[in-house]
Amino acid sequence: MPTPEPPARPEVLKELAALREADAPTRGGRTFAYVYDPAVEGLDALAADAYRAFADVNALDMTVFPSVARLENDVVARVAAHLGAPGCQGTFTSGGTESILLAVKTARDHARATRGVRAGELVLPATAHAAFHKAAHYLGLTPVTLPVDPDTYRADPAATARALTPDTVLVVASAPSYAHGVLDPVAEIAALAAEAGVLCHVDACVGGWLLPFLRRAGREVPDFGLTVPGVTSLSVDLHKYGYADKGASVVLYRDSALRRHQYFAHADWPGYPVVNPTVQGTKSAGLLAQAWAVLRRLTDDDYTALAARVADAETRLLTGLAALDGLRVLGAPAAGLVAVTATGPDGAPDLSPVLHLADEMRARGWYLQPQLAHGLLPPNLHLTLTPATADRVDALLADLTTTLATARALPPATPAPRLTALAATLDPDTLTDEEAAAVLTYAGLGPDTGTPDRMAPVLALLDALPTRLKERLLTEYIGSLFQI
């Protein structure tokens, strides 16, 4: 039998376009998580062209491809001009998770080299990004998670001071925290770390490229970068409010001596001498090139104007939410992220309307990100504001008003009692793959069922489960999506 002809270029691209039809839109201002849309004409095309120009350049070895060093130096210098301090050094990475992982590795290795610490601890607020826990897991560190202020959702300096021990290798603050969009008291936490002789990392992955321009636009923004005494490293994602494509991030250190602990070098093998600044070895320079191009295209004045649009959208959204009975904004959002919870007649957070509201809004073409309860922190809907959302706020609030009434009239989003009872008997450490798959199928998340149209019942079940069991079932579910 003759081998069939491979599809022509138009057919391949048509297949890809068909696959994209099921995805949430990345442009247009209706997806309030995961994407950052500047609504700047021609910027997407510029980034794509820059990526193609460097897609086959291997950033593994900048002595063979010197353009890589030039591009990275330019990008890091632009970031350092706003967030750095004299003598600071930085690295371009694939995203916030890699930037955080490298900062944690640096702190671990620095503590080993300077203080002889072996069983290191990572002190962080409960609102710190999950990437810190991932880094601790990968690097053999113990996360020491601290409760945050239950009213402001900010990290607690007093709790931080009590948690510091001789084994502490790094203290973490967020600018802002992802879940609620509030700024931690960076200066206070960094001062405590410095007094204890411990490094302090500021996770500014979200706010690092927005807050400086909000300040230029007239908003009051406290210092949070490397100019703050005690701050020794900082991460900032350029694929968020820098509006580069995913993934593009920078991690900055106070000096080259500290950054040196980030690097991995190995010459004890018969191949070429290996020096890796990042987790990746071989990597395309395309993502670096597109980030460089976007930063070249947008001036500080452009970023200031875009930040002003985000601030305007945030102000109008917060004003509108305050007028809706039964919704409450959590904390004091300061950097384009807003978390809002539903409340019952007694003013207490109410899970069911939150989850139904997410489903109802999605049915109307909006994606608002559900976040489950965590300790004393209530369940909520997370919204990421971008310049593209500035013209959508009124329409969003109108649909929220309608869907909130609908959500409250729906039956409570509670898991089936039989399923809850079954889950209570399960041990995540001994649960077999077959048992986990059976629970997921019963919950409507079988491998052949696809994502349910309404996620409220599934999320209500997850909210009720112990953390370890929740993690085990989520791992099983995601694994089921990749079947080969």
Side-chain angles (χ1 to χ4, degrees):
M1 179 179 295
T3 303
E5 288 292 326
R9 179 178 184 274
E11 295 303 314
V12 172
L13 295 178
K14 183 178 179 181
E15 287 183 49
L16 289 174
L19 290 172
R20 283 285 283 116
E21 290 177 1
D23 294 342
T26 60
R27 294 294 180 260
R30 296 182 73 91
T31 302
F32 281 76
Y34 302 123
V35 298
Y36 293 78
D37 182 2
V40 174
E41 186 175 356
L43 198 64
D44 287 342
L46 172 65
D49 288 344
Y51 181 89
R52 280 193 293 269
F54 279 79
D56 59 352
V57 172
N58 188 349
L60 170 68
D61 192 339
M62 57 291 302
T63 66
V64 177
F65 301 100
S67 61
V68 172
R70 166 62 190 276
L71 292 174
E72 180 158 333
N73 285 335
D74 286 354
V75 168
V76 173
R78 180 78 182 277
V79 173
H82 289 282
L83 299 169
C88 73
Q89 300 285 318
T91 301
F92 181 83
T93 78
S94 64
T97 294
E98 187 177 18
S99 288
I100 287 169
L101 180 67
L102 292 170
V104 174
K105 176 197 179 298
T106 296
R108 182 198 68 176
D109 291 0
H110 176 268
R112 286 180 176 178
T114 61
R115 295 190 284 128
V117 176
R118 290 298 166 188
E121 296 176 347
L122 190 62
V123 173
L124 65 165
T127 50
H129 197 278
F132 288 99
H133 294 271
K134 184 176 184 178
H137 177 71
Y138 282 2
L139 296 168
L141 300 173
T142 300
V144 179
T145 306
L146 308 175
V148 297
D149 185 289
D151 296 318
T152 67
Y153 302 94
R154 302 172 80 213
D156 182 353
T160 301
R162 292 191 296 270
L164 296 174
T165 74
D167 287 330
T168 304
V169 302
L170 186 66
V171 176
V172 174
S174 302
S177 60
Y178 178 84
H180 308 107
V182 302
L183 295 175
D184 284 339
V186 170
E188 295 176 64
I189 290 173
L192 290 169
E195 184 179 354
V198 175
L199 301 184
C200 176
H201 181 82
V202 174
D203 173 16
C205 288
V206 173
W209 208 243
L210 176 65
L211 290 168
F213 299 104
L214 286 176
R215 181 185 288 139
R216 287 181 98 240
R219 281 210 172 184
E220 185 175 342
V221 176
D223 290 337
F224 63 93
L226 288 176
T227 57
V228 177
V231 173
T232 53
S233 61
L234 177 143
S235 50
V236 50
D237 285 357
L238 299 175
H239 59 222
K240 292 187 170 75
Y241 288 105
Y243 305 114
D245 287 340
K246 311 282 185 183
S249 180
V250 166
V251 55
L252 290 178
Y253 300 97
R254 68 183 179 197
D255 55 39
S256 59
L258 187 56
R259 183 184 63 172
R260 193 174 300 122
H261 292 287
Q262 170 191 292
Y263 285 33
F264 172 81
H266 189 76
D268 190 16
W269 76 305
Y272 60 93
V274 170
V275 182
N276 296 147
T278 64
V279 174
Q280 299 178 84
T282 291
K283 56 187 176 183
S284 169
L287 289 172
L288 172 60
Q290 62 85 22
W292 181 92
V294 170
L295 289 177
R296 286 279 289 168
R297 166 63 180 81
L298 296 177
T299 66
D300 282 0
D301 287 343
D302 291 329
Y303 278 117
T304 301
L306 291 168
R309 284 178 61 81
V310 173
D312 174 67
E314 184 179 82
T315 298
R316 289 189 290 116
L317 177 64
L318 293 175
T319 300
L321 291 173
L324 290 178
D325 185 38
L327 291 182
R328 175 166 61 89
V329 173
L330 303 179
L337 308 182
V338 174
V340 58
T341 193
T343 56
D346 59 354
D350 192 351
L351 173 69
S352 188
V354 167
L355 301 182
H356 283 316
L357 191 57
D359 283 339
E360 291 297 315
M361 289 296 285
R362 192 159 189 173
R364 287 162 174 77
W366 304 95
Y367 179 76
L368 312 183
Q369 188 175 49
Q371 298 185 141
L372 302 180
H374 181 272
L376 297 177
L377 307 182
N380 60 83
L381 294 179
H382 171 101
L383 293 86
T384 298
L385 297 164
T386 69
T389 63
D391 297 329
R392 297 284 192 178
V393 170
D394 291 342
L396 174 75
L397 289 168
D399 278 350
L400 273 173
T401 302
T402 301
T403 55
L404 181 59
T406 303
R408 291 198 177 283
L410 290 171
T414 54
R418 288 176 57 192
L419 188 54
T420 304
L422 171 63
T425 67
L426 302 176
D427 180 352
D429 295 320
T430 60
L431 191 67
T432 66
D433 292 348
E434 293 74 19
E435 290 170 334
V439 174
L440 289 171
T441 300
Y442 192 89
L445 291 176
D448 301 320
T449 60
T451 303
D453 292 332
R454 300 191 69 86
M455 288 296 294
V458 176
L459 293 174
L461 172 63
L462 288 175
D463 192 71
L465 295 178
T467 299
R468 285 281 296 111
L469 181 57
K470 190 183 307 183
E471 292 168 348
R472 175 70 177 86
L473 292 176
L474 286 171
T475 300
E476 185 70 22
Y477 172 60
I478 296 300
S480 74
L481 301 179
F482 301 95
Q483 299 179 15
I484 296 177

